[in-house]
Amino acid sequence: MEKRTTIGILAHVDAGKTTLAEAMLYRCGAIRKAGRVDHGDAHMDTHSLERARGITIFASQAQLQLGDWKAALLDTPGHVDFSAEMERTFWVLDYAILVINGADGVQGHTMTLWRLLARYQIPTFLFINKMDQDGTDKEKLLAELKKRLSDNCVDFTWEKSDLQSQFLEDVSVCDEELLEKYLETEKISTSDIQKVIKERKLFPCFFGSALKMTGVEEFLHGLEKYCETPTYPSE
């Protein structure tokens, strides 16, 4: 039986959560045109009330596929008034994507979502959106994420750069066992990284602009590479 990963996408209102979901679907070839909430044509916002108000009210689902990797993507309401609908999805999630507005940083509702993710023990990837806007500073944002959310928020855009050794160091210090292994071998495997993400000891951070489609492809490949396919006991 085919096993799919179920991923929920969560955010403070106006962080660009549905725009990111649309961009991900477009990059996977699931839709021909990425819609926008403010244009009332978002693929994920199907209810007339959502289109009229320009916000996500009901959780909706779409399918992502990259090669052999398949995932169900659940877009959840970002508005605080519809938090109960959002929290209802937590029981089925294997992973979560927390979208943060790069122009505003960590908001009050972001902290609420972070606490809920910790309560439900959901492994979390972060996408820092709207990095095309003036005044956004990646280093400052990363420092804020480390201070307000977790020291184990690590910049995964370094993975394929000249700073790969820095990336591996940042990953290794998230887990004692992994640090020992890295100090001995100077290597960390993909399965090692998958494991510490799954255990919520590491929170991968990606930066980009969903509206401009920058960083979205790298983010999708990060999900494909580092999400473990869930295994369920046979009935």
Side-chain angles (χ1 to χ4, degrees):
M1 192 177 104
E2 187 180 75
K3 295 181 176 66
R4 294 189 181 203
T5 309
T6 304
I7 304 171
I9 186 164
L10 315 144
H12 181 276
V13 71
D14 288 338
K17 170 182 56 62
T18 301
T19 308
L20 176 61
E22 297 283 316
M24 290 167 73
L25 289 169
Y26 177 75
R27 284 292 188 204
C28 283
I31 55 176
R32 290 183 179 181
K33 177 181 176 286
R36 285 175 58 171
V37 178
D38 54 344
H39 289 178
D41 62 353
H43 174 80
M44 302 290 278
D45 287 344
T46 52
H47 198 281
S48 57
L49 194 59
E50 294 177 311
R51 290 179 182 268
R53 293 186 62 179
I55 57 170
T56 303
I57 298 171
F58 308 103
S60 59
Q61 179 180 327
Q63 302 303 320
L64 293 172
Q65 183 166 356
L66 270 184
D68 296 332
W69 180 73
K70 293 179 181 178
L73 183 68
L74 297 182
D75 185 16
T76 65
H79 202 284
V80 70
D81 290 351
F82 306 108
S83 292
E85 173 74 9
M86 176 269 298
E87 196 174 339
R88 216 159 50 88
T89 67
F90 277 34
W91 297 102
V92 301
L93 298 184
D94 298 307
Y95 291 89
I97 296 165
L98 182 62
V99 186
I100 290 170
N101 184 338
D104 296 335
V106 176
Q107 301 290 289
H109 189 51
T110 314
M111 299 299 297
T112 303
L113 292 171
W114 189 255
R115 285 190 288 269
L116 281 169
L117 290 164
R119 185 192 302 168
Y120 286 87
Q121 285 296 292
I122 299 169
T124 304
F125 289 77
L126 289 87
F127 187 85
I128 297 81
N129 194 22
K130 304 193 181 185
M131 292 301 291
D132 56 314
Q133 293 194 6
D134 290 340
T136 52
D137 185 320
K138 185 177 166 183
E139 296 309 313
K140 278 186 183 174
L141 284 162
L142 195 60
E144 184 185 8
L145 295 172
K146 285 178 176 289
K147 184 181 176 184
R148 300 195 65 190
L149 302 183
S150 169
D151 269 338
N152 294 359
C153 287
V154 172
D155 180 6
F156 266 57
T157 58
W158 283 2
E159 186 194 4
K160 291 187 174 124
S161 72
D162 298 337
L163 298 163
Q164 192 177 16
S165 58
Q166 179 67 56
F167 167 73
L168 292 175
E169 279 176 33
D170 290 349
V171 167
S172 69
V173 295
C174 294
D175 178 65
E176 208 169 297
E177 201 177 300
L178 196 56
L179 179 59
E180 280 181 30
K181 182 177 178 179
Y182 178 65
L183 291 173
E184 282 174 22
T185 66
E186 293 190 359
K187 289 178 184 172
I188 295 175
S189 69
T190 298
S191 58
D192 289 333
I193 296 177
Q194 286 177 340
K195 182 174 179 283
V196 287
I197 292 171
K198 190 72 179 168
E199 292 170 351
R200 284 182 51 84
K201 292 175 180 174
L202 170 62
F203 303 99
C205 299
F206 293 82
F207 295 79
S209 166
L211 194 59
K212 299 281 176 70
M213 292 275 179
T214 55
V216 176
E217 202 154 332
E218 293 82 352
F219 182 51
L220 277 167
H221 285 295
L223 291 172
E224 177 196 14
K225 187 173 181 179
Y226 295 116
C227 284
E228 283 184 350
T229 303
T231 52
Y232 302 106
S234 54
E235 293 180 345

